[in-house]
């Protein structure tokens, strides 16, 4: 008995020392200015930044989607996306959605609950949309149910089912935002439910225009949905409603290619790795579009040869399908146009949108040309898309000759430009679609959601990309790829459901040339 008492007498002081020591450690290592508990606002911030800042990326990663979209070439080394090598994607967009339900549950009153629920529906719709258009069928109904229902190997839904779900979630987001209250944690619109509602409805029109081959489907009701949204719901009003991330001078929050202050880590941008493409430069020159002078720098060879920096002929693009070795020779010769200095010299060259007002206007123009809606001319929508793109650039560009090469876009020029010459909509339906998509492409230089311009080309064929069988890394080299391969994680951990999805869609062949339901 005495032995037991002695043992406890020795243990208790030791426990007290350890407990006090742990408490002191926690006190020392706890930030008194930061919350130690998760709340709805924190989860909202995390998810909003994930679909904006994280998706936009920075430094070298920023240019990857624009290589696939043929806006530029890259000289550091041969990049697969420039030459159409898609490879495998991932489902990281879906795993993010585990935070949606906790965010809603943390809401402290009914108005906030509606707003966070609306945000959750939008983010789900956004993530599922950008996942399915890469591969086809994906997990949707059973997705993100590992913790709640123990579904660790979700079945795949047909792409049609996924799109129906996306449209329904956007409808719910619209209704809930209309009844919700201003919420915290929003780094884009400061919790303004009206702006979020306008984004939701505008993005739903984007989803619907991508279903233009499915207008006969009685379940989707593509045209009826489109008409109803345009007639009865609020939409984005101008570029101030862009779903865009603005940058600033704080370390880690600079524009993706900013090299301010000097030595901030983006010096590779100044190493002449970028050459702007003929796909971008040539239509800007042909249409006498002054955005050229804000996007690009003139060829040093042409300027040395006597051309002015304000001469369209001083700007030279590189064909992105050209062999890498030939592009390197062109780079050494310096007869090409690089990106404008403003992208490197400004901490916020411009906010980067993942969905913009001009996207909406070009969607409305296309829908009008296709006969889905009436009452406003396609030219009116088309012109609004062009002028808002131009006004956005002017607003965000300091009035320095180096940033516009003495070819300023003043109000008189901007207002008249969409109605002039080859710019104004004219001709057949197909010709007008080509004009609209071309202008959408030009407006989205270093803008837009990931791979947006490539998806537009896949959907419409515009702008035309050059297929060079000698350099194309897709197999076979005579085809452009149509999709990414499914993630390797799905092969390892959800192989049975993946195999069933590949069998039902692509006759068992998961390759880059298979045509998904959306494209048929």
């Amino acid at each position: 008995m005495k032995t037991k008492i002695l043992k406890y007498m020795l243990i208790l002081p030791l426990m007290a020392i350890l407990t006090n020591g742990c408490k002191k450690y926690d006190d020392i290592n706890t930030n008194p200015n930061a919350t130690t508990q998760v709340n709805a606002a924190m989860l909202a911030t995390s998810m909003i930044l994930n679909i904006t800042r994280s998706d936009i990326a920075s430094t070298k990663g920023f240019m990857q989607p624009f290589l696939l979209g043929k806006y530029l070439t890259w000289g550091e080394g041969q990049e697969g996306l420039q030459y159409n090598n898609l490879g495998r994607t991932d489902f990281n967009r879906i795993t993010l959605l585990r935070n949606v339900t906790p965010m809603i549950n943390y809401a402290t009153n009914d108005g906030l609950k509606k707003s966070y629920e609306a945000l959750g529906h939008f983010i789900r719709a956004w993530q599922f949309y950008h996942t399915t258009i890469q591969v086809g069928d994906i997990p949707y109904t059973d997705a993100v149910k590992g913790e709640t229902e123990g579904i660790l190997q979700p079945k795949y839904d047909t792409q049609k089912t996924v799109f129906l779900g996306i449209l329904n979630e956007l409808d719910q987001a619209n209704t809930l935002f209309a009844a919700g209250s201003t919420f915290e944690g929003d780094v884009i619109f400061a919790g303004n439910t009206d702006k979020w509602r306008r984004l939701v409805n505008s993005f739903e029109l984007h989803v619907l225009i991508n279903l233009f081959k499915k207008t006969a489907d009685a379940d989707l009701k593509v045209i009826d949905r489109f008409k109803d949204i345009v007639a009865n719901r609020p939409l984005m009003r101008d570029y101030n409603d862009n779903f865009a991330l603005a940058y600033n001078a704080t370390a880690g929050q600079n524009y993706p290619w900013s090299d301010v202050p000097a030595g901030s880590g983006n010096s590779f941008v100044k190493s002449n790795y970028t050459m702007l493409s003929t796909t971008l430069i040539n239509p800007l020159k042909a249409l006498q579009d002054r955005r050229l002078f804000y996007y690009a720098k003139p060829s040093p060879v042409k300027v040395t040869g006597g051309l002015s920096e304000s001469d369209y002929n001083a700007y030279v693009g590189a064909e992105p399908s050209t062999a890498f070795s030939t592009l390197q020779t062109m780079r050494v010769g310096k007869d090409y146009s690089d990106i404008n200095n403003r992208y490197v010299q400004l901490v916020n060259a411009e906010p980067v949108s993942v969905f913009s007002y001009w996207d909406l206007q070009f969607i409305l123009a296309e829908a009008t040309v296709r006969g889905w809606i009436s009452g406003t001319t396609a030219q009116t929508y088309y012109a609004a898309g062009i002028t808002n793109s131009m006004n956005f650039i002017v607003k965000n560009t300091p009035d320095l000759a180096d940033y516009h090469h003495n070819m300023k876009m003043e109000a008189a020029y901007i207002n008249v430009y969409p109605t002039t010459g080859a710019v104004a909509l004219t001709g057949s339906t197909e010709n007008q679609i080509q004009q609209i998509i071309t202008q959408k492409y030009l407006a989205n230089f270093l803008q837009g959601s990931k791979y947006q311009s490539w998806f537009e080309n896949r959907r419409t064929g515009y702008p035309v990309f050059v297929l060079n069988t000698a350099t194309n890394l897709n197999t076979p080299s005579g085809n452009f790829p149509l999709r990414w391969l499914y993630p390797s994680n799905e092969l390892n951990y959800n192989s049975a459901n993946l195999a069933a999805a590949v069998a039902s869609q692509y006759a068992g062949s998961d390759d880059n040339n298979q045509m998904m339901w959306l494209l048929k």
Side-chain angles (χ1 to χ4, degrees), residues 336-358:
Y336 66 89
S337 289
D338 202 348
I339 60 170
N340 192 289
N341 283 336
R342 69 189 180 94
Y343 296 109
V344 179
Q345 295 175 356
L346 300 175
V347 294
N348 182 24
E350 58 193 23
V352 177
S353 65
V354 288
F355 190 81
S356 66
Y357 174 77
W358 52 80

Side-chain angles (χ1 to χ4, degrees), residues 30 57 78 88 94 104 173 204 212 228 238 342 377 379 387 393 429 445 500:
T30 298
Q78 180 171 297
R88 294 193 180 277
I94 298 177
I104 296 167
E204 186 164 357
F212 78 103
D228 179 67
D238 57 35
R342 69 189 180 94
T377 66
Q379 174 66 34
T387 58
I393 292 167
T429 295
F445 175 61

Side-chain angles (χ1 to χ4, degrees), residues 33-98:
N33 298 315
T35 180
T36 57
Q37 294 185 334
V38 175
N39 56 42
M42 290 174 61
L43 292 173
T45 300
S46 174
M47 287 189 286
I48 292 169
L49 286 177
N50 187 281
I51 65 175
T52 54
R53 183 174 66 187
S54 298
D55 214 26
I56 292 167
S58 61
T59 59
K60 183 176 179 179
F62 180 53
M63 60 83 191
Q64 292 288 343
F66 302 105
L67 286 176
L68 185 60
K70 316 308 177 195
Y71 283 103
L72 46 80
T73 73
W74 192 256
E76 186 180 19
Q78 180 171 297
E79 295 287 338
L81 288 181
Q82 182 179 326
Y83 295 100
N84 311 307
N85 183 11
L86 296 187
R88 294 193 180 277
T89 187
D90 59 59
F91 281 175
N92 292 344
R93 288 184 180 274
I94 298 177
T95 59
L96 169 74
L97 302 178
R98 290 176 296 187

Side-chain angles (χ1 to χ4, degrees), residues 90-167:
D90 59 59
F91 281 175
N92 292 344
R93 288 184 180 274
I94 298 177
T95 59
L96 169 74
L97 302 178
R98 290 176 296 187
N99 290 329
V100 169
T101 298
M103 174 184 68
I104 296 167
N105 291 340
Y106 280 124
T108 56
N109 61 57
D110 186 60
L112 287 175
K113 189 177 183 67
K114 285 184 170 64
S115 293
Y116 285 123
E117 190 174 350
L119 179 63
H121 281 301
F122 170 76
I123 291 176
R124 281 175 54 86
W126 181 272
Q127 298 293 71
F128 283 121
Y129 171 80
H130 284 99
T131 302
T132 188
I133 59 171
Q134 284 194 300
V135 293
D137 294 0
I138 59 171
Y140 174 73
T141 305
D142 287 346
V144 206
K145 291 184 177 179
E147 294 181 14
T148 57
E149 299 181 31
I151 300 176
L152 301 179
Q153 296 175 316
K155 69 176 180 64
Y156 282 57
D157 291 281
T158 66
Q159 194 170 43
K160 175 180 173 178
T161 298
V162 176
F163 268 92
L164 280 168
I166 289 167
L167 294 169

Side-chain angles (χ1 to χ4, degrees), residues 43 74 77 115 155 171 182 187 234 249 307 318 333 340 370 389 408 496 520:
L43 292 173
W74 192 256
S115 293
K155 69 176 180 64
D171 288 341
T182 302
V187 296
L307 293 182
N340 192 289
R370 293 189 185 280
S389 165
K408 290 176 61 176
K520 295 178 180 177

Side-chain angles (χ1 to χ4, degrees), residues 179-244:
S181 57
T182 302
F183 61 97
E184 295 182 343
D186 173 17
V187 296
I188 306 296
F189 299 135
N192 185 317
T193 55
D194 178 65
K195 284 198 171 188
W196 274 102
R197 192 179 176 206
R198 292 176 185 278
L199 169 63
V200 164
N201 296 327
S202 300
F203 178 64
E204 186 164 357
L205 295 182
H206 171 76
V207 174
L208 289 165
I209 204 71
N210 275 271
L211 291 165
F212 78 103
K213 291 187 176 182
K214 306 299 180 182
T215 55
D217 191 294
D219 299 317
L220 290 166
K221 300 181 177 64
V222 172
I223 297 177
D224 288 343
R225 284 179 184 264
F226 199 100
K227 286 181 177 178
D228 179 67
I229 293 170
V230 173
N232 299 312
R233 297 190 195 175
L235 300 173
M236 298 165 78
R237 295 158 294 191
D238 57 35
Y239 64 76
N240 293 304
D241 286 342
N242 284 4
F243 189 33

Side-chain angles (χ1 to χ4, degrees), residues 234-312:
L235 300 173
M236 298 165 78
R237 295 158 294 191
D238 57 35
Y239 64 76
N240 293 304
D241 286 342
N242 284 4
F243 189 33
L245 188 68
Y247 299 86
N248 57 58
T250 303
Q253 298 180 23
N254 306 157
Y255 181 79
W257 276 349
S258 172
D259 193 38
V260 180
S264 61
N266 274 357
S267 57
F268 72 89
V269 179
K270 301 168 70 175
S271 302
N272 297 321
Y273 290 148
T274 48
M275 295 196 298
L276 299 187
S277 73
T278 51
T279 318
L280 174 70
I281 295 288
N282 287 358
L284 289 169
K285 290 168 63 175
L287 298 171
Q288 299 284 285
D289 190 323
R290 292 191 183 183
R291 284 175 292 189
L292 172 68
F293 303 98
Y294 290 77
Y295 290 166
K297 293 191 292 191
S299 157
V301 171
K302 294 294 187 286
V303 172
T304 300
L307 293 182
S308 165
E309 292 187 357
S310 59
D311 189 328
Y312 284 95

